[in-house]
Amino acid sequence: MSPVHLLGAGPVGCLAAILLKQRGFEPIIHERRPDSRQEGAYGGRSINLALSNRGFLALAAAGLETEIQSVGLPMPGRLVHDRQGRVQFQAYGKNGQAIYSVSRAGLNYKLMDLAESQGVQIHFESRCTDVLLASQHLQLEQHGEVRNVPYHVLLGTDGAYSALRYALQKTDRFDYSQSYLPHGYKELHIPPTSAGEFAMDPDGLHIWPRGQYMMIALPNPDRSFTCTLFQPYEADPERGVHEGLQDLRSDQEVLRFFERDFQDAVPLMPTLLDDFRKNATSSLVTVRCSPWNYGPTCILGDAAHAIVPFYGQGLNCGLEDVRILMELVDQAGLHPESDQDAWANVLETFATTRKPDGDAIAQLALDNFIEMRDKVSDPIFLFQKKIESILQDIYPETWKPLYTQVTFEAKIRYYHAYQNGVDQQKILEKITNLIPIHKRSDDEFILKIVKENITPT
């Protein structure tokens, strides 16, 4: 029986290894970092993430859905902070639907533990320096020793700067692009109160939208919040950005900026200046590439489609990749003795069918950045959300908001959700234009216009 090699022991790689092991395969993971369970969480990474139905459905295959959900904190909506400190709640869905703030490290540790308990080998500090696609060998460096390891099947789950994708980029007719936002991000912290309680309402994702920039905060089980500032690197006064990240050098400049734009948060952030100095500024990249497969090799997760974090779908999408790949493995009847041609066929099917979804969620994430930083406090956007809620109430089977399709309807493809969203926005704009401003608080009039102009399909 030939092993299946995987690059990267993050949540996507570990889940893939667990599900392969359950099917009788012999997965081996190569992870370039030390074992983070002993070394501590990787520096510069968020201590929490947003998991939704797509991620939980994939975790259910490993038996972890209930356990992870039980230690997560439900966030049923946004809590939008204006410049005066007023807070408005905007629900994400209906009937208690919520996304969950989950510890990134905790999730990864549980998946690593489960993988090893089932017999998966994880080789830490084993860095892939090259993939020789023609001869099907991995070049691995571990503790100063470089060795070539033959592979039968290779899956690249090694993130946005994937070694396997770099090798694929050297092949003929491989399309690749990466694009950076002009923004960077810096993680900050709101601790519990002196009484050990949450300093803000924990039942939501807090957003301070400020046009071209914003701050968000997610609750943690220890009653703290992880805050993330998304700010352009450079100032652009014409667009309302008076300071870029590179301009906030002194403590006085940092404090002046926060007291002006995030006034209600500053008293809750006693370590603001230390956090701002010590925490790295990270960039925001979108990666698009094709094809993801080459014979019995394939990339998935961020290696195939790194996206910006503004839809909270990066990890959910990666975990869903694993679920879909395993469904194709089962449909094809792959087993531990299957030859490379059988694997190549499955990986080509996966890459071909999944690629449009990777592109769709990448665009949705970019679009949602504009929504979060600009639109959540815009009167027209809020009015269209009101129309959408009415449509959902009167046509519950045929009108599902875009956010609901992406976040709570795990069986709807990202590609189809994106196309549906484009069509829905045209309808919302049509209804908006039919309702005069002075009638936009008249629910009966709005309902009448909706019923006269929208036919359920």
Side-chain angles (χ1 to χ4, degrees):
M1 177 172 57
S2 299
V4 176
H5 290 269
L6 300 98
L7 301 178
V12 174
C14 285
L15 180 63
I18 290 165
L19 300 185
L20 285 167
K21 189 69 176 180
Q22 290 175 359
R23 288 160 171 77
F25 296 95
E26 194 60 42
I28 300 174
I29 302 177
H30 305 280
E31 169 56 55
R32 67 180 178 87
R33 298 183 178 94
D35 187 345
S36 59
R37 291 167 294 182
Q38 280 75 53
E39 299 290 329
Y42 311 138
R45 301 297 298 275
S46 173
I47 63 172
N48 55 9
L49 47 84
L51 268 182
S52 58
N53 289 25
R54 294 176 191 270
F56 283 121
L57 183 61
L59 290 171
L64 287 176
E65 176 188 22
T66 302
E67 182 178 359
I68 298 300
Q69 196 168 54
S70 69
V71 298
L73 295 174
M75 299 184 294
R78 301 166 173 153
L79 291 158
V80 182
H81 297 243
D82 68 15
R83 290 183 180 274
Q84 287 70 47
R86 294 172 299 213
V87 181
Q88 179 189 52
F89 178 79
Q90 298 176 5
Y92 283 137
K94 298 272 188 180
N95 305 318
Q97 289 175 320
I99 59 177
Y100 282 75
S101 177
V102 172
S103 164
R104 179 191 297 271
L107 173 61
N108 205 171
Y109 296 167
K110 285 187 181 298
L111 286 166
M112 281 194 248
D113 289 344
L114 181 58
E116 289 183 330
S117 73
Q118 295 189 2
V120 174
Q121 298 179 52
I122 306 178
H123 299 307
F124 293 100
E125 298 182 81
S126 180
R127 185 170 72 93
C128 178
T129 58
D130 201 2
V131 180
L132 309 175
L133 295 167
S135 62
Q136 295 179 12
H137 278 73
L138 288 173
Q139 191 174 84
L140 299 169
E141 180 182 3
Q142 189 174 29
H143 308 306
E145 178 186 351
V146 178
R147 57 196 177 97
N148 284 341
V149 176
Y151 65 83
H152 180 72
V153 177
L154 176 63
L155 300 179
T157 58
D158 48 342
Y161 302 100
S162 165
L164 177 53
R165 192 189 65 234
Y166 182 68
L168 291 171
Q169 286 173 236
K170 302 174 190 176
T171 61
D172 187 39
R173 298 177 65 199
F174 185 84
D175 289 328
Y176 171 77
S177 70
Q178 66 178 30
S179 57
Y180 286 89
L181 288 179
H183 299 67
Y185 70 92
K186 190 178 284 286
E187 297 204 346
L188 306 166
H189 184 65
I190 292 178
T193 66
S194 57
E197 299 301 325
F198 284 106
M200 302 185 295
D201 186 346
D203 295 326
L205 188 153
H206 291 259
I207 303 180
W208 290 259
R210 299 297 181 259
Q212 291 296 312
Y213 52 99
M214 69 176 181
M215 186 170 71
I216 66 171
L218 276 71
N220 296 309
D222 67 358
R223 293 186 169 82
S224 68
F225 287 86
T226 298
C227 304
T228 310
L229 172 68
F230 297 96
Q231 178 81 1
Y233 283 98
E234 299 177 357
D236 186 354
E238 290 186 3
R239 303 180 72 183
V241 182
H242 299 287
E243 305 94 351
L245 282 169
Q246 65 184 18
D247 302 313
L248 300 174
R249 298 186 181 92
S250 70
D251 286 355
Q252 292 78 11
E253 289 168 333
V254 172
L255 196 57
R256 183 169 61 247
F257 168 69
F258 274 85
E259 286 180 338
R260 185 194 69 212
D261 287 331
F262 310 109
Q263 186 176 14
D264 61 327
V266 172
L268 311 178
M269 306 173 78
T271 60
L272 169 62
L273 297 177
D274 284 341
D275 292 341
F276 200 92
R277 279 194 303 267
K278 294 176 182 177
N279 293 349
T281 299
S282 302
S283 56
L284 295 160
V285 65
T286 298
V287 170
R288 295 181 176 89
C289 63
S290 179
W292 298 351
N293 63 300
Y294 185 99
T297 69
C298 192
I299 51 176
L300 54 160
D302 282 355
H305 46 69
I307 64 175
V308 294
F310 303 113
Y311 225 114
Q313 286 295 305
L315 180 60
N316 289 285
C317 183
L319 297 176
E320 186 175 70
D321 284 352
V322 176
R323 177 181 66 81
I324 290 171
L325 177 57
M326 292 304 120
E327 288 177 356
L328 293 172
V329 165
D330 293 342
Q331 291 169 14
L334 290 188
H335 53 82
E337 304 303 327
S338 293
D339 61 24
Q340 291 183 327
D341 288 342
W343 266 102
N345 289 335
V346 166
L347 295 176
E348 182 175 11
T349 299
F350 166 76
T352 303
T353 57
R354 187 65 172 157
K355 163 70 173 166
D357 296 312
D359 290 343
I361 191 57
Q363 188 58 52
L364 285 165
L366 291 167
D367 293 346
N368 210 49
F369 181 34
I370 298 171
E371 177 173 314
M372 292 173 73
R373 76 185 194 203
D374 292 351
K375 294 184 179 179
V376 292
S377 56
D378 178 75
I380 293 178
F381 172 82
L382 294 174
F383 180 62
Q384 289 182 349
K385 285 296 181 185
K386 180 177 182 178
I387 297 171
E388 188 165 63
S389 180
I390 291 172
L391 282 163
Q392 192 176 9
D393 286 339
I394 60 178
Y395 305 126
E397 297 304 316
T398 56
W399 185 281
K400 295 183 186 296
L402 174 61
Y403 191 90
T404 296
Q405 294 178 61
V406 171
T407 307
F408 303 123
E409 298 286 342
K411 294 301 180 71
I412 297 178
R413 292 181 56 180
Y414 288 122
Y415 175 75
H416 291 150
Y418 177 77
Q419 296 297 326
N420 294 341
V422 171
D423 293 339
Q424 287 179 342
Q425 185 58 33
K426 293 176 182 177
I427 293 171
L428 292 173
E429 290 172 0
K430 173 185 175 182
I431 297 298
T432 300
N433 291 334
L434 291 172
I435 299 174
I437 292 176
H438 70 278
K439 283 287 194 177
R440 291 182 181 178
S441 60
D442 186 339
D443 290 354
E444 290 187 8
F445 181 79
I446 297 169
L447 182 61
K448 174 177 174 291
I449 295 298
V450 167
K451 287 184 174 181
E452 287 176 353
N453 291 273
I454 304 299
T455 301
T457 56

